[in-house]
Amino acid sequence: MTSKRRPLLAGNWKMNGTRASLDQIKAIGDGVKTSLSEKLDVLLCPPVSLLYVATALCDDSPLAIGAQDCHQKASGAHTGDISAEMIADCFGTHVIVGHSERRRDHDESDDLIRAKAEAAYAADLIAVICIGETEAERKAGETLEVLKRQLGASVPENATAKSTVIAYEPVWAIGTGLTPTLADVAEAHDFIRSTLAERFGEEAKGIRLLYGGSANPGNARVLIAVDNVDGLLVGGASLKAADFLAMYGAYGELLA
Ligand code: PEP
């Protein structure tokens, strides 16, 4: 990673975690109270049931707390949904939108994801917009085409480097223990950067691009060293404070 973009290490707990897991959140919050956090952003997205308590637990920590999804509207008759405003009201600062599990389980379209990102901006949240190809699309040689389509339709016109993070998450790598080769990661991230540059010009240089998909303490060092990888979005390995903090520690060498 040769850029001046500030790296972002993000954890996504998905539908995992109860009050019994608050000690892990606290341990992560305490564990990132080091000088390394002057050079690196760290974000944890627990389930929304823990959001408010998590922000309170970590209010003296550089750890940012976010949510995993939001509704595209600010309020209204949408039973079971959470608005971006509500996330901000709980002192959340980020929201993941378009995770492949939302695309798959809830049939979320690129248009809907764009509307959710716009709702995030309206509530002053940073949108972490996920894109990535399925196994079948990769096998068919369609990866870059899919990324281009998803970027075009799910990233809002008014996206900025401050408001937007893009997470490249090959669907087949999520939770499977499989990761693309470093060359494939580099190809995808270079392509995302140049596609964003065609649309957003200079602004695209500041947009952070995360890699996600079976990142763990064993492979973090090599993944974060890939050009145009500005951080990681971590699922399973963010659930245990020790694992997530080991990945945080991997930045020690890179940013020394
Ligand atoms: C994710 O949930 O975004 C993810 C990348 O999961 P995992 O790290 O478990 O593959």
Side-chain angles (χ1 to χ4, degrees), residues 28-85:
I28 293 170
D30 287 345
V32 301
K33 287 182 196 167
T34 79
S35 56
L36 190 53
S37 294
E38 288 161 20
K39 301 178 182 166
L40 163 75
D41 290 333
V42 192
L43 165 69
L44 189 67
C45 299
V48 79
S49 55
L50 299 180
L51 191 62
Y52 184 60
V53 183
T55 58
L57 268 182
C58 299
D59 69 345
D60 62 345
S61 163
L63 179 68
I65 302 289
Q68 302 168 15
D69 180 48
C70 67
H71 195 274
Q72 67 275 21
K73 297 255 172 69
S75 62
H78 303 288
T79 302
D81 279 311
I82 303 290
S83 71
E85 261 182 27

Short mmCIF file of all heavy atoms in Angstrom, two decimals, residues 28-85:
data_model
loop_
_atom_site.label_atom_id
_atom_site.label_comp_id
_atom_site.label_asym_id
_atom_site.label_seq_id
_atom_site.Cartn_x
_atom_site.Cartn_y
_atom_site.Cartn_z
N ILE A 28 -11.59 -4.89 22.30
CA ILE A 28 -11.13 -4.30 21.03
C ILE A 28 -10.96 -2.78 21.22
O ILE A 28 -9.94 -2.20 20.83
CB ILE A 28 -12.10 -4.63 19.88
CG1 ILE A 28 -12.06 -6.13 19.57
CG2 ILE A 28 -11.75 -3.82 18.62
CD1 ILE A 28 -13.15 -6.63 18.61
N GLY A 29 -11.97 -2.17 21.84
CA GLY A 29 -11.89 -0.73 22.09
C GLY A 29 -10.64 -0.37 22.89
O GLY A 29 -9.93 0.59 22.57
N ASP A 30 -10.34 -1.15 23.90
CA ASP A 30 -9.15 -0.88 24.73
C ASP A 30 -7.87 -1.20 23.95
O ASP A 30 -6.88 -0.48 24.06
CB ASP A 30 -9.20 -1.71 26.02
CG ASP A 30 -10.23 -1.17 27.00
OD1 ASP A 30 -10.70 -0.03 26.80
OD2 ASP A 30 -10.59 -1.90 27.95
N GLY A 31 -7.94 -2.28 23.16
CA GLY A 31 -6.74 -2.73 22.44
C GLY A 31 -6.26 -1.77 21.37
O GLY A 31 -5.10 -1.80 20.97
N VAL A 32 -7.15 -0.92 20.88
CA VAL A 32 -6.73 0.03 19.83
C VAL A 32 -6.35 1.40 20.41
O VAL A 32 -6.11 2.34 19.66
CB VAL A 32 -7.78 0.17 18.69
CG1 VAL A 32 -8.04 -1.18 18.05
CG2 VAL A 32 -9.09 0.78 19.21
N LYS A 33 -6.27 1.46 21.72
CA LYS A 33 -5.81 2.72 22.35
C LYS A 33 -4.28 2.73 22.33
O LYS A 33 -3.63 2.64 23.37
CB LYS A 33 -6.30 2.80 23.79
CG LYS A 33 -7.78 3.09 23.94
CD LYS A 33 -8.09 3.20 25.44
CE LYS A 33 -9.53 3.11 25.75
NZ LYS A 33 -9.80 2.91 27.18
N THR A 34 -3.71 2.73 21.13
CA THR A 34 -2.25 2.77 21.02
C THR A 34 -1.89 3.86 20.00
O THR A 34 -2.76 4.35 19.28
CB THR A 34 -1.66 1.43 20.51
OG1 THR A 34 -1.85 1.36 19.08
CG2 THR A 34 -2.31 0.22 21.16
N SER A 35 -0.62 4.17 19.90
CA SER A 35 -0.20 5.23 18.98
C SER A 35 -0.46 4.84 17.52
O SER A 35 -0.56 5.69 16.64
CB SER A 35 1.26 5.58 19.20
OG SER A 35 2.02 4.42 19.05
N LEU A 36 -0.59 3.54 17.26
CA LEU A 36 -0.88 3.09 15.90
C LEU A 36 -2.19 3.68 15.39
O LEU A 36 -2.35 3.95 14.19
CB LEU A 36 -0.94 1.55 15.89
CG LEU A 36 -1.00 0.82 14.56
CD1 LEU A 36 0.13 1.25 13.63
CD2 LEU A 36 -0.96 -0.69 14.80
N SER A 37 -3.12 3.91 16.30
CA SER A 37 -4.42 4.45 15.90
C SER A 37 -4.34 5.90 15.43
O SER A 37 -5.31 6.43 14.90
CB SER A 37 -5.43 4.31 17.04
OG SER A 37 -5.67 2.94 17.27
N GLU A 38 -3.16 6.52 15.58
CA GLU A 38 -2.98 7.85 14.98
C GLU A 38 -2.86 7.73 13.47
O GLU A 38 -3.04 8.69 12.73
CB GLU A 38 -1.72 8.52 15.55
CG GLU A 38 -1.91 8.97 16.99
CD GLU A 38 -0.58 9.21 17.71
OE1 GLU A 38 0.45 9.40 17.04
OE2 GLU A 38 -0.60 9.19 18.95
N LYS A 39 -2.54 6.52 12.98
CA LYS A 39 -2.29 6.34 11.54
C LYS A 39 -3.33 5.48 10.85
O LYS A 39 -3.21 5.18 9.67
CB LYS A 39 -0.93 5.65 11.37
CG LYS A 39 0.23 6.39 11.96
CD LYS A 39 1.49 5.56 11.74
CE LYS A 39 2.71 6.23 12.36
NZ LYS A 39 3.83 5.30 12.44
N LEU A 40 -4.29 5.00 11.60
CA LEU A 40 -5.18 3.95 11.09
C LEU A 40 -6.56 4.11 11.72
O LEU A 40 -6.66 4.41 12.90
CB LEU A 40 -4.54 2.62 11.53
CG LEU A 40 -5.30 1.33 11.54
CD1 LEU A 40 -5.46 0.85 10.11
CD2 LEU A 40 -4.53 0.27 12.34
N ASP A 41 -7.62 3.93 10.92
CA ASP A 41 -8.97 3.93 11.49
C ASP A 41 -9.38 2.48 11.74
O ASP A 41 -9.07 1.59 10.94
CB ASP A 41 -9.96 4.56 10.50
CG ASP A 41 -9.75 6.05 10.36
OD1 ASP A 41 -9.25 6.68 11.32
OD2 ASP A 41 -10.06 6.60 9.28
N VAL A 42 -10.10 2.26 12.83
CA VAL A 42 -10.61 0.93 13.13
C VAL A 42 -12.10 1.05 13.42
O VAL A 42 -12.54 1.96 14.13
CB VAL A 42 -9.90 0.29 14.36
CG1 VAL A 42 -10.24 -1.19 14.45
CG2 VAL A 42 -8.40 0.47 14.29
N LEU A 43 -12.85 0.16 12.82
CA LEU A 43 -14.31 0.21 12.88
C LEU A 43 -14.83 -1.18 13.24
O LEU A 43 -14.34 -2.18 12.73
CB LEU A 43 -14.84 0.60 11.48
CG LEU A 43 -16.32 0.37 11.19
CD1 LEU A 43 -17.18 1.35 12.01
CD2 LEU A 43 -16.60 0.57 9.69
N LEU A 44 -15.83 -1.21 14.10
CA LEU A 44 -16.49 -2.48 14.39
C LEU A 44 -17.99 -2.31 14.19
O LEU A 44 -18.58 -1.34 14.68
CB LEU A 44 -16.19 -2.91 15.83
CG LEU A 44 -16.64 -4.34 16.17
CD1 LEU A 44 -15.82 -5.37 15.39
CD2 LEU A 44 -16.50 -4.61 17.67
N CYS A 45 -18.59 -3.25 13.46
CA CYS A 45 -20.04 -3.20 13.20
C CYS A 45 -20.70 -4.41 13.86
O CYS A 45 -20.82 -5.48 13.26
CB CYS A 45 -20.30 -3.20 11.69
SG CYS A 45 -19.58 -1.77 10.85
N PRO A 46 -21.11 -4.25 15.11
CA PRO A 46 -21.81 -5.33 15.81
C PRO A 46 -23.26 -5.37 15.35
O PRO A 46 -23.70 -4.48 14.61
CB PRO A 46 -21.72 -4.90 17.28
CG PRO A 46 -21.68 -3.41 17.24
CD PRO A 46 -21.00 -3.02 15.93
N PRO A 47 -24.04 -6.36 15.78
CA PRO A 47 -25.47 -6.31 15.45
C PRO A 47 -26.09 -5.06 16.09
O PRO A 47 -25.59 -4.55 17.09
CB PRO A 47 -26.03 -7.58 16.07
CG PRO A 47 -25.01 -8.04 17.05
CD PRO A 47 -23.69 -7.51 16.59
N VAL A 48 -27.17 -4.61 15.51
CA VAL A 48 -27.74 -3.33 15.93
C VAL A 48 -28.24 -3.38 17.37
O VAL A 48 -28.29 -2.35 18.06
CB VAL A 48 -28.82 -2.88 14.90
CG1 VAL A 48 -30.12 -3.60 15.11
CG2 VAL A 48 -28.98 -1.38 14.92
N SER A 49 -28.52 -4.59 17.86
CA SER A 49 -28.97 -4.74 19.26
C SER A 49 -27.89 -4.28 20.24
O SER A 49 -28.20 -3.94 21.39
CB SER A 49 -29.34 -6.20 19.54
OG SER A 49 -28.25 -7.03 19.21
N LEU A 50 -26.63 -4.30 19.81
CA LEU A 50 -25.54 -3.92 20.71
C LEU A 50 -24.98 -2.54 20.40
O LEU A 50 -24.04 -2.07 21.07
CB LEU A 50 -24.40 -4.96 20.61
CG LEU A 50 -24.75 -6.40 21.00
CD1 LEU A 50 -23.52 -7.30 20.86
CD2 LEU A 50 -25.29 -6.47 22.43
N LEU A 51 -25.55 -1.90 19.38
CA LEU A 51 -24.93 -0.66 18.88
C LEU A 51 -24.78 0.42 19.94
O LEU A 51 -23.70 0.97 20.15
CB LEU A 51 -25.79 -0.15 17.71
CG LEU A 51 -25.22 0.97 16.85
CD1 LEU A 51 -23.96 0.53 16.16
CD2 LEU A 51 -26.26 1.41 15.82
N TYR A 52 -25.87 0.71 20.62
CA TYR A 52 -25.84 1.84 21.55
C TYR A 52 -24.92 1.56 22.74
O TYR A 52 -24.13 2.40 23.16
CB TYR A 52 -27.26 2.17 22.03
CG TYR A 52 -27.32 3.39 22.92
CD1 TYR A 52 -26.89 4.63 22.44
CD2 TYR A 52 -27.77 3.30 24.23
CE1 TYR A 52 -26.93 5.75 23.26
CE2 TYR A 52 -27.81 4.42 25.04
CZ TYR A 52 -27.39 5.64 24.56
OH TYR A 52 -27.42 6.74 25.36
N VAL A 53 -25.00 0.33 23.25
CA VAL A 53 -24.13 -0.02 24.37
C VAL A 53 -22.67 -0.01 23.91
O VAL A 53 -21.77 0.43 24.65
CB VAL A 53 -24.49 -1.41 24.95
CG1 VAL A 53 -23.65 -1.73 26.16
CG2 VAL A 53 -25.95 -1.45 25.32
N ALA A 54 -22.43 -0.48 22.68
CA ALA A 54 -21.05 -0.54 22.17
C ALA A 54 -20.46 0.87 22.06
O ALA A 54 -19.30 1.08 22.43
CB ALA A 54 -21.03 -1.24 20.82
N THR A 55 -21.24 1.82 21.56
CA THR A 55 -20.68 3.18 21.43
C THR A 55 -20.40 3.75 22.83
O THR A 55 -19.40 4.45 23.02
CB THR A 55 -21.60 4.13 20.63
OG1 THR A 55 -22.88 4.22 21.27
CG2 THR A 55 -21.76 3.68 19.20
N ALA A 56 -21.27 3.43 23.78
CA ALA A 56 -21.04 3.93 25.15
C ALA A 56 -19.79 3.29 25.75
O ALA A 56 -18.96 3.97 26.35
CB ALA A 56 -22.26 3.65 26.01
N LEU A 57 -19.63 1.98 25.51
CA LEU A 57 -18.46 1.27 26.06
C LEU A 57 -17.14 1.79 25.48
O LEU A 57 -16.11 1.72 26.13
CB LEU A 57 -18.55 -0.22 25.68
CG LEU A 57 -19.21 -1.20 26.61
CD1 LEU A 57 -19.13 -2.60 26.01
CD2 LEU A 57 -18.53 -1.19 27.98
N CYS A 58 -17.22 2.27 24.24
CA CYS A 58 -15.99 2.64 23.53
C CYS A 58 -15.86 4.15 23.35
O CYS A 58 -15.12 4.60 22.47
CB CYS A 58 -15.95 1.94 22.17
SG CYS A 58 -15.95 0.15 22.34
N ASP A 59 -16.57 4.92 24.16
CA ASP A 59 -16.54 6.37 23.92
C ASP A 59 -15.19 7.00 24.26
O ASP A 59 -14.91 8.12 23.86
CB ASP A 59 -17.71 7.10 24.61
CG ASP A 59 -17.59 7.11 26.12
OD1 ASP A 59 -16.78 6.32 26.65
OD2 ASP A 59 -18.31 7.89 26.77
N ASP A 60 -14.34 6.27 24.96
CA ASP A 60 -13.00 6.80 25.25
C ASP A 60 -11.94 6.10 24.39
O ASP A 60 -10.76 6.08 24.72
CB ASP A 60 -12.68 6.62 26.73
CG ASP A 60 -12.65 5.14 27.12
OD1 ASP A 60 -13.15 4.30 26.33
OD2 ASP A 60 -12.12 4.81 28.20
N SER A 61 -12.40 5.48 23.30
CA SER A 61 -11.50 4.70 22.44
C SER A 61 -11.54 5.26 21.02
O SER A 61 -12.58 5.77 20.59
CB SER A 61 -11.96 3.24 22.42
OG SER A 61 -11.38 2.55 21.34
N PRO A 62 -10.45 5.12 20.26
CA PRO A 62 -10.49 5.52 18.84
C PRO A 62 -11.34 4.56 17.99
O PRO A 62 -11.56 4.83 16.81
CB PRO A 62 -9.03 5.51 18.40
CG PRO A 62 -8.27 4.79 19.44
CD PRO A 62 -9.11 4.71 20.69
N LEU A 63 -11.80 3.47 18.58
CA LEU A 63 -12.61 2.51 17.81
C LEU A 63 -13.94 3.16 17.40
O LEU A 63 -14.68 3.65 18.25
CB LEU A 63 -12.89 1.27 18.67
CG LEU A 63 -13.75 0.19 18.00
CD1 LEU A 63 -12.99 -0.48 16.85
CD2 LEU A 63 -14.18 -0.87 19.03
N ALA A 64 -14.21 3.15 16.10
CA ALA A 64 -15.51 3.64 15.60
C ALA A 64 -16.48 2.46 15.60
O ALA A 64 -16.08 1.31 15.41
CB ALA A 64 -15.35 4.19 14.19
N ILE A 65 -17.74 2.79 15.84
CA ILE A 65 -18.77 1.75 15.85
C ILE A 65 -19.77 2.06 14.73
O ILE A 65 -20.16 3.22 14.54
CB ILE A 65 -19.50 1.72 17.20
CG1 ILE A 65 -18.52 1.47 18.36
CG2 ILE A 65 -20.62 0.67 17.20
CD1 ILE A 65 -17.93 0.08 18.46
N GLY A 66 -20.15 1.03 14.00
CA GLY A 66 -21.09 1.24 12.90
C GLY A 66 -22.13 0.13 12.86
O GLY A 66 -22.15 -0.77 13.70
N ALA A 67 -22.99 0.23 11.84
CA ALA A 67 -24.05 -0.77 11.67
C ALA A 67 -23.82 -1.52 10.35
O ALA A 67 -22.97 -1.15 9.55
CB ALA A 67 -25.41 -0.08 11.69
N GLN A 68 -24.62 -2.56 10.17
CA GLN A 68 -24.41 -3.46 9.03
C GLN A 68 -25.36 -3.22 7.87
O GLN A 68 -25.23 -3.83 6.82
CB GLN A 68 -24.55 -4.91 9.50
CG GLN A 68 -23.60 -5.27 10.61
CD GLN A 68 -23.96 -6.60 11.25
OE1 GLN A 68 -24.74 -7.39 10.71
NE2 GLN A 68 -23.39 -6.87 12.41
N ASP A 69 -26.34 -2.35 8.10
CA ASP A 69 -27.34 -2.08 7.07
C ASP A 69 -28.19 -0.90 7.55
O ASP A 69 -28.21 -0.60 8.75
CB ASP A 69 -28.24 -3.30 6.87
CG ASP A 69 -29.32 -3.07 5.81
OD1 ASP A 69 -28.97 -2.57 4.72
OD2 ASP A 69 -30.51 -3.36 6.07
N CYS A 70 -28.86 -0.24 6.63
CA CYS A 70 -29.86 0.76 7.03
C CYS A 70 -30.97 0.76 5.98
O CYS A 70 -30.78 0.26 4.87
CB CYS A 70 -29.25 2.15 7.15
SG CYS A 70 -28.68 2.86 5.59
N HIS A 71 -32.10 1.32 6.36
CA HIS A 71 -33.18 1.51 5.39
C HIS A 71 -32.86 2.73 4.54
O HIS A 71 -32.08 3.59 4.95
CB HIS A 71 -34.51 1.68 6.15
CG HIS A 71 -35.71 1.51 5.25
ND1 HIS A 71 -36.24 2.55 4.52
CD2 HIS A 71 -36.47 0.42 4.97
CE1 HIS A 71 -37.28 2.11 3.83
NE2 HIS A 71 -37.44 0.81 4.08
N GLN A 72 -33.47 2.78 3.38
CA GLN A 72 -33.20 3.93 2.49
C GLN A 72 -34.00 5.17 2.86
O GLN A 72 -33.71 6.26 2.37
CB GLN A 72 -33.44 3.53 1.01
CG GLN A 72 -34.87 3.22 0.64
CD GLN A 72 -35.27 1.78 0.95
OE1 GLN A 72 -34.65 1.11 1.79
NE2 GLN A 72 -36.32 1.30 0.30
N LYS A 73 -35.01 5.00 3.72
CA LYS A 73 -35.81 6.17 4.15
C LYS A 73 -35.38 6.58 5.56
O LYS A 73 -34.88 5.76 6.33
CB LYS A 73 -37.29 5.79 4.19
CG LYS A 73 -37.85 5.40 2.82
CD LYS A 73 -38.71 6.54 2.27
CE LYS A 73 -39.13 6.31 0.83
NZ LYS A 73 -40.09 5.22 0.71
N ALA A 74 -35.65 7.83 5.91
CA ALA A 74 -35.22 8.34 7.21
C ALA A 74 -36.10 7.85 8.36
O ALA A 74 -35.65 7.74 9.50
CB ALA A 74 -35.20 9.87 7.18
N SER A 75 -37.38 7.60 8.05
CA SER A 75 -38.30 7.11 9.09
C SER A 75 -39.57 6.64 8.39
O SER A 75 -39.71 6.82 7.18
CB SER A 75 -38.66 8.23 10.08
OG SER A 75 -39.32 9.28 9.40
N GLY A 76 -40.49 6.06 9.15
CA GLY A 76 -41.77 5.71 8.55
C GLY A 76 -42.22 4.30 8.86
O GLY A 76 -41.67 3.63 9.75
N ALA A 77 -43.21 3.84 8.11
CA ALA A 77 -43.85 2.55 8.35
C ALA A 77 -43.05 1.44 7.66
O ALA A 77 -43.38 0.98 6.56
CB ALA A 77 -45.28 2.59 7.82
N HIS A 78 -41.96 1.05 8.31
CA HIS A 78 -41.08 0.01 7.75
C HIS A 78 -40.68 -0.92 8.89
O HIS A 78 -39.56 -0.85 9.42
CB HIS A 78 -39.85 0.65 7.09
CG HIS A 78 -40.22 1.62 6.01
ND1 HIS A 78 -40.73 1.22 4.79
CD2 HIS A 78 -40.24 2.97 6.02
CE1 HIS A 78 -41.02 2.29 4.08
NE2 HIS A 78 -40.73 3.36 4.78
N THR A 79 -41.62 -1.75 9.28
CA THR A 79 -41.46 -2.59 10.47
C THR A 79 -40.17 -3.42 10.42
O THR A 79 -39.91 -4.09 9.42
CB THR A 79 -42.68 -3.53 10.61
OG1 THR A 79 -43.85 -2.70 10.68
CG2 THR A 79 -42.59 -4.39 11.86
N GLY A 80 -39.44 -3.33 11.48
CA GLY A 80 -38.22 -4.14 11.59
C GLY A 80 -36.99 -3.49 11.03
O GLY A 80 -35.88 -4.02 11.20
N ASP A 81 -37.14 -2.37 10.33
CA ASP A 81 -35.98 -1.74 9.73
C ASP A 81 -35.36 -0.68 10.63
O ASP A 81 -36.00 -0.19 11.57
CB ASP A 81 -36.36 -1.12 8.38
CG ASP A 81 -36.39 -2.15 7.27
OD1 ASP A 81 -35.42 -2.91 7.16
OD2 ASP A 81 -37.39 -2.21 6.53
N ILE A 82 -34.15 -0.30 10.30
CA ILE A 82 -33.38 0.69 11.07
C ILE A 82 -32.95 1.78 10.10
O ILE A 82 -32.44 1.47 9.02
CB ILE A 82 -32.11 0.03 11.67
CG1 ILE A 82 -32.46 -1.18 12.54
CG2 ILE A 82 -31.25 1.04 12.41
CD1 ILE A 82 -33.12 -0.85 13.84
N SER A 83 -33.16 3.03 10.45
CA SER A 83 -32.74 4.11 9.54
C SER A 83 -31.31 4.56 9.86
O SER A 83 -30.80 4.33 10.97
CB SER A 83 -33.69 5.30 9.66
OG SER A 83 -33.49 5.95 10.89
N ALA A 84 -30.73 5.23 8.89
CA ALA A 84 -29.38 5.79 9.09
C ALA A 84 -29.40 6.79 10.24
O ALA A 84 -28.46 6.85 11.04
CB ALA A 84 -28.91 6.44 7.80
N GLU A 85 -30.50 7.54 10.33
CA GLU A 85 -30.63 8.51 11.43
C GLU A 85 -30.57 7.83 12.78
O GLU A 85 -30.02 8.36 13.75
CB GLU A 85 -32.01 9.20 11.34
CG GLU A 85 -31.97 10.53 10.69
CD GLU A 85 -33.35 11.18 10.67
OE1 GLU A 85 -34.19 10.90 11.55
OE2 GLU A 85 -33.56 11.97 9.75
#
